[in-house]
């Protein structure tokens, strides 16, 4: 079941690379796959076919993230920098955007749920454009912006719905210029973590 879908992910990426005038449409299809209803881990007690199906779907979702990230890195054979990425409502149970360059087009994590594993933006570059996390929930996932660089544009956390694990920044834990945080919520969360 997962092999044809994985092949479809790579075929869509190849089509985007070869079809510049419809590259955004192909990226929209890949983001759309991530927006499909999330299948939760059935747990260790579930029958193996159910566990196997969950692992296959998770592998496809993480592959989509890897493919997108690879095209957002400097030096990509074909760059998708400057395109729009709509991760509205996506559940992230891990994923690595490390080294990606977000520049130009908007990137929406509106209503996304970062709910498990590690979601990394290590060494990512935010230069121009807008990345928004309105109504997103940071619950259970460790989200790291370690080594990320911010120069122009804006990364907006101002209307995050919930932070059980606020994002981590490498600059002494303080958000850099260009990062907008909910003042009260962020301070309350940090003080709760220090007490706990």
């Amino acid at each position: 079941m997962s092999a044809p879908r994985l092949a479809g992910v790579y075929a869509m990426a190849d089509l985007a690379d070869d079809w510049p005038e419809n590259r955004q449409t192909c990226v929209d299809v890949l983001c759309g796959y991530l927006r499909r209803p999330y299948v939760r881990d059935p747990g260790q007690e579930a029958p193996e076919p159910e566990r196997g199906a969950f692992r296959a779907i998770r592998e496809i979702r993480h592959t989509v993230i890897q493919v997108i990230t690879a095209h957002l890195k400097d030096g990509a054979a074909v760059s998708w920098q400057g395109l729009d990425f709509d991760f509205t409502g996506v559940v992230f149970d891990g994923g690595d955007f490390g080294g990606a360059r977000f520049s130009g087009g908007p990137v929406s994590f509106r209503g996304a749920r970062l709910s498990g594993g590690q979601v990394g933006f290590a060494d990512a570059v935010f230069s121009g454009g807008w990345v928004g996390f309105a109504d997103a929930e940071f619950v259970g996932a460790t989200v790291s912006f370690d080594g990320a660089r911010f120069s122009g544009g804006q990364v907006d956390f101002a209307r995050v719905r919930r932070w059980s694990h606020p994002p981590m920044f490498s600059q002494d834990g303080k958000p850099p210029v260009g990062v907008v945080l909910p003042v009260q919520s962020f301070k309350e969360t940090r003080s709760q973590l220090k007490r706990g």
Side-chain angles (χ1 to χ4, degrees), residues 89 109-114 133-139 156-164 182 185 189:
F109 288 90
R110 174 180 284 283
R113 184 173 173 88
L114 296 91
F133 289 88
D135 296 322
E137 296 181 76
F138 293 81
V139 290
D156 189 353
F157 295 100
R159 294 188 333 242
V160 165
R161 180 175 294 166
R162 189 164 45 148
W163 316 79
S164 64
S185 173
T189 302

Side-chain angles (χ1 to χ4, degrees), residues 30-181:
L30 291 170
C31 291
Y33 185 85
L34 293 174
R35 290 193 306 270
R36 292 175 49 146
Y38 180 72
V39 176
R40 295 191 184 282
D41 186 342
Q44 296 297 330
E45 271 75 70
E48 181 50 38
E50 201 174 322
R51 298 244 344 113
F54 167 75
R55 286 191 302 267
I57 290 169
R58 188 170 191 247
E59 178 184 12
I60 295 163
R61 294 172 64 82
H62 286 215
T63 299
V64 171
I65 295 167
Q66 290 169 357
V67 165
I68 289 171
T69 301
H71 284 84
L72 290 175
K73 290 184 176 186
D74 287 337
V78 176
S79 175
W80 294 356
Q81 294 175 13
L83 297 179
D84 301 351
F85 293 90
D86 184 1
F87 301 119
T88 300
V90 172
V91 175
F92 290 92
D93 60 357
D96 185 9
F97 290 98
R101 178 179 289 273
F102 297 96
S103 61
V107 180
S108 176
F109 288 90
R110 174 180 284 283
R113 184 173 173 88
L114 296 91
S115 65
Q118 171 97 16
V119 181
F121 293 88
D123 300 318
V125 177
F126 298 88
S127 61
W130 172 86
V131 179
F133 289 88
D135 296 322
E137 296 181 76
F138 293 81
V139 290
T142 301
V143 182
S144 174
F145 287 84
D146 228 15
R149 295 184 307 278
F150 300 85
S151 61
Q154 186 176 70
V155 179
D156 189 353
F157 295 100
R159 294 188 333 242
V160 165
R161 180 175 294 166
R162 189 164 45 148
W163 316 79
S164 64
H165 292 33
M168 296 179 298
F169 299 94
S170 59
Q171 295 88 358
D172 300 326
K174 296 178 185 174
V177 175
V179 175
V180 180
L181 296 172

